[in-house]
Amino acid sequence: MLDQAILSGLKEVDNEVFDLVVSEETRQQRQIRLIPSENYASCAVRAALATSFTNKYGEGYPGRRYYQGQVNTDKIENLAIERAKQLFGYPFANVQALSGAPANLAVYTAFLKPFAGKIMAMRLDHGGHLTHGSPVSVTGAWFEISHYGCQEDDYLDMEKIRAQALEFRPDVLVCGYTAYPRTIDFKAFGEIAREVGAISLADISHIAGLIAGGSHPSPFPHMDVVTFTTHKTLRGPRAAIILSKDPEHADKIDKAVFPGLQGGPHFNTISAIAVALKEALSPAFKSYTDQVVKNAISVADELKGRGYHIISGGTDNHLVLVDVRKSCNLPGKRVAEALEDVGIVCNFNTVPNASDRQKPLFPDGIRLGTPSITTRGFKENDCRKVAELMDRTMKNIKAGKLEKGESPFIDEAIKDQIAAEVAELATSFPTFSWQE
Ligand code: DSN
């Protein structure tokens, strides 16, 4: 729960906001949250977000500011930088980018000529990100893009990616994904980038926590630059970090972040990053990340055993993609909405090798992740129970066209029964639990 002193201060001033905070807190306790990019930050991280560091301006970098009064802000930023370097092994870290999209834009700004640079990255519907050159993002409008995708077995083929890179000759080669359940071969990506003279960029937003805990191989020393949000598996505040290993690269990145793209950094957020990184350096964090992966494997195995089509046949990380069109002839959106109706919150999501009916807003799949439930203390058996509740829900969803306002459920009593079991399971766990 939030610090009671902060909450009571809020209640006195603004009841409307207070009520929404309490309502959201309750939702997060009562639901089983399977969105792989979400988590529960610790009380310490959230306390750091609410301090007087929010009152301070400080354009520039430690020791080189455009504002006076930096006696504490320089120390807090240096602390976050040192912990990021220690955790990920890179010699340079920028902790000012406001979130993942601005962090990626800063890297492109640092290394690409405006309207002339070339980026090669994963296509959005196979698990890339908007900022990896999607046409609806400025990264797709401002730069020349070549997208790669998964093969028929849903895995990446590094030889094909190499051949494409040799032909396209990107300035920046991007790996790192929002919906790829398998291990990323950073060594191979780094080698291809060096062969074609590109900067190698790993956007590890989804798996930063797993890498920090040693549950996924590290991009160091293979990738030149690494970006990541700090609030996903890493379990910090909503922010981003950019790592690099060459001093010239680090200088270009710093200049791109400030003054290139941003003004004053958010020191309350930077202090919360520092806290999250300290937590991630602890042995308990490694137990958490190992359990995240074990839990994801349990969800995948249980659903697979119940006949569901799991993309790539399983998972090596925190997420599971299910092709529900192939599994039960249902659209992803209807499944995600019905699951939310029983208290299980996931994403409807595009999947590779989908039917020709798949569209971004009407995809064939759902995306599940285990970081949040692992933070709560769920273990493999609990995850198998979650998969069983999902299976019962999906078997109770109507196929075919629904009339406007028509319930997607075949039997409302079954839906109510599942919803009660979901609430009981969810509330039997705290929202945050350190585990040894
Ligand atoms: N929003 C992130 C995700 O959910 O994967 C990507 O930015």
Side-chain angles (χ1 to χ4, degrees), residues 234-298:
L234 192 58
R235 220 162 55 181
R238 304 190 76 86
I241 294 178
I242 308 173
L243 306 170
S244 54
K245 57 182 188 174
D246 178 315
E248 279 182 32
H249 291 173
D251 189 48
K252 283 183 179 174
I253 290 165
D254 281 352
K255 286 184 174 133
V257 173
F258 173 83
L261 293 166
Q262 294 181 189
H266 297 181
F267 290 112
N268 58 325
T269 306
I270 289 173
S271 65
I273 291 176
V275 175
L277 293 173
K278 181 171 184 184
E279 290 177 348
L281 283 160
S282 70
F285 193 82
K286 181 169 176 37
S287 308
Y288 146 76
T289 62
D290 286 347
Q291 192 65 48
V292 167
V293 177
K294 285 183 203 160
N295 283 350
I297 291 170
S298 300

Side-chain angles (χ1 to χ4, degrees), residues 149-167:
C150 295
Q151 300 307 299
E152 277 179 12
D153 60 2
D154 307 322
Y155 280 75
L156 293 173
D157 179 333
M158 295 312 299
E159 266 316 302
K160 283 202 172 151
I161 289 170
R162 177 171 174 264
Q164 188 176 334
L166 282 166
E167 190 175 337

Side-chain angles (χ1 to χ4, degrees), residues 66-273:
Y66 291 82
Y67 286 71
Q68 292 305 110
Q70 305 295 337
V71 60
N72 299 307
T73 46
D74 276 9
K75 285 181 189 149
I76 203 78
E77 187 165 346
N78 278 330
L79 193 58
I81 288 169
E82 287 311 312
R83 287 177 181 169
K85 285 157 53 175
Q86 186 185 349
L87 194 57
F88 291 95
Y90 275 79
F92 301 99
N94 181 304
V95 297
Q96 292 195 4
L98 299 178
S99 200
N104 285 343
L105 202 52
V107 175
Y108 302 145
T109 305
F111 297 110
L112 296 176
K113 291 197 185 75
F115 305 105
K118 294 164 79 173
I119 301 170
M120 184 170 146
M122 174 87 111
R123 50 193 274 193
L124 184 64
D125 62 342
H126 281 203
H129 186 252
L130 287 168
T131 57
H132 300 173
S134 162
V136 295
S137 147
V138 294
T139 59
W142 292 350
F143 303 110
E144 191 183 340
I145 308 295
S146 177
H147 279 131
Y148 56 86
C150 295
Q151 300 307 299
E152 277 179 12
D153 60 2
D154 307 322
Y155 280 75
L156 293 173
D157 179 333
M158 295 312 299
E159 266 316 302
K160 283 202 172 151
I161 289 170
R162 177 171 174 264
Q164 188 176 334
L166 282 166
E167 190 175 337
F168 180 65
R169 297 270 160 189
D171 301 305
V172 175
L173 175 62
V174 185
C175 67
Y177 313 109
T178 65
Y180 185 65
R182 294 301 180 177
T183 302
I184 301 171
D185 189 345
F186 292 123
K187 185 166 179 289
F189 272 105
E191 283 168 0
I192 295 169
R194 274 190 293 284
E195 190 177 356
V196 301
I199 296 285
S200 52
L201 166 61
D203 176 348
I204 60 165
S205 294
H206 265 256
I207 54 173
L210 303 187
I211 291 167
S215 307
H216 185 289
S218 169
F220 185 81
H222 312 295
M223 303 298 287
D224 297 319
V225 180
V226 175
T227 56
F228 55 97
T229 47
T230 47
H231 49 270
K232 296 188 173 93
T233 46
L234 192 58
R235 220 162 55 181
R238 304 190 76 86
I241 294 178
I242 308 173
L243 306 170
S244 54
K245 57 182 188 174
D246 178 315
E248 279 182 32
H249 291 173
D251 189 48
K252 283 183 179 174
I253 290 165
D254 281 352
K255 286 184 174 133
V257 173
F258 173 83
L261 293 166
Q262 294 181 189
H266 297 181
F267 290 112
N268 58 325
T269 306
I270 289 173
S271 65
I273 291 176

